[in-house]
Amino acid sequence: MKLSTKGRYGLRALIDLALYSEEEAVSIQSIANRQNISVSYLEQLVRKLKKEGLVTSVRGAQGGYKLAKPADKISVGDVLRAMEGSISAVSCGTGENVHCQGEDLCVTRYVWQRINASIQETVDSIMLDQLVEESRRVRDKGQIKVQKCDN
């Protein structure tokens, strides 16, 4: 399975939003600047995230976007499905592959079902708040100045 830029950028945008929208709504422009994503592309992604109920818009001078629910209630799977649709590695064994002849007799179907289940379980077990904490940890680590030792 390979995620498109929609999935990758959508997840980055939502992490950014979770990081910076605790106090006030965040503008698309500020997310685009921090994440190095074009404003027009980010607008498309945010529309999808809003349609899926993951973000809300705030109108007015201090307007922008906020998470629609707490970060600990949004999984990576929620975001990826909003951006990508299905996140199965293959459609075989998912019920999506209506053109497969002999699906009931296919031994490899077991493999594909296990792979798909593993993907779903993994992305649904990682919550946005965990990624926010990891982002803060990485950011703080990058701010630590390493001093040279003259010994």
Side-chain angles (χ1 to χ4, degrees):
M1 180 180 90
K2 187 171 184 174
L3 295 174
S4 71
T5 56
K6 286 188 296 190
R8 296 192 319 267
Y9 288 8
L11 184 57
R12 283 176 38 198
L14 219 56
I15 294 167
D16 187 283
L17 196 57
L19 272 165
Y20 294 99
S21 71
E22 291 175 340
E23 301 296 319
E24 60 189 15
V26 177
S27 73
I28 291 238
Q29 182 69 53
S30 63
I31 297 170
N33 290 341
R34 283 189 295 268
Q35 296 301 319
N36 197 26
I37 303 172
S38 82
V39 171
S40 61
Y41 191 53
L42 188 56
E43 285 171 341
Q44 294 173 37
L45 301 180
V46 170
R47 268 195 300 274
K48 281 187 146 200
L49 293 168
K50 185 177 178 187
K51 182 181 176 195
E52 295 298 320
L54 298 175
V55 301
T56 59
S57 58
V58 177
R59 294 180 182 256
Q62 300 299 317
Y65 292 89
K66 292 185 132 194
L67 295 179
K69 47 189 170 182
D72 65 344
K73 303 293 185 213
I74 300 173
S75 73
V76 170
D78 295 333
V79 180
L80 294 180
R81 280 187 285 277
M83 298 284 89
E84 303 280 349
S86 173
I87 52 174
S88 297
V90 293
S91 59
C92 182
T94 63
E96 299 170 18
N97 193 6
V98 295
H99 302 294
C100 184
Q101 294 178 355
E103 182 178 12
D104 293 337
L105 303 173
C106 182
V107 175
T108 60
R109 184 175 83 167
Y110 174 76
V111 174
W112 312 136
Q113 287 174 329
R114 293 277 312 267
I115 290 170
N116 287 339
S118 294
I119 290 169
Q120 305 303 320
E121 182 181 322
T122 299
V123 298
D124 288 337
S125 70
I126 304 169
M127 304 309 281
L128 194 58
D129 67 325
Q130 293 171 280
L131 297 176
V132 167
E133 286 307 311
E134 181 66 13
S135 180
R136 287 182 178 135
R137 190 186 66 73
V138 168
R139 183 183 61 198
D140 292 346
K141 183 178 176 183
Q143 292 176 353
I144 297 171
K145 304 285 186 216
V146 178
Q147 295 182 356
K148 277 183 147 180
C149 184
D150 294 332
N151 294 350

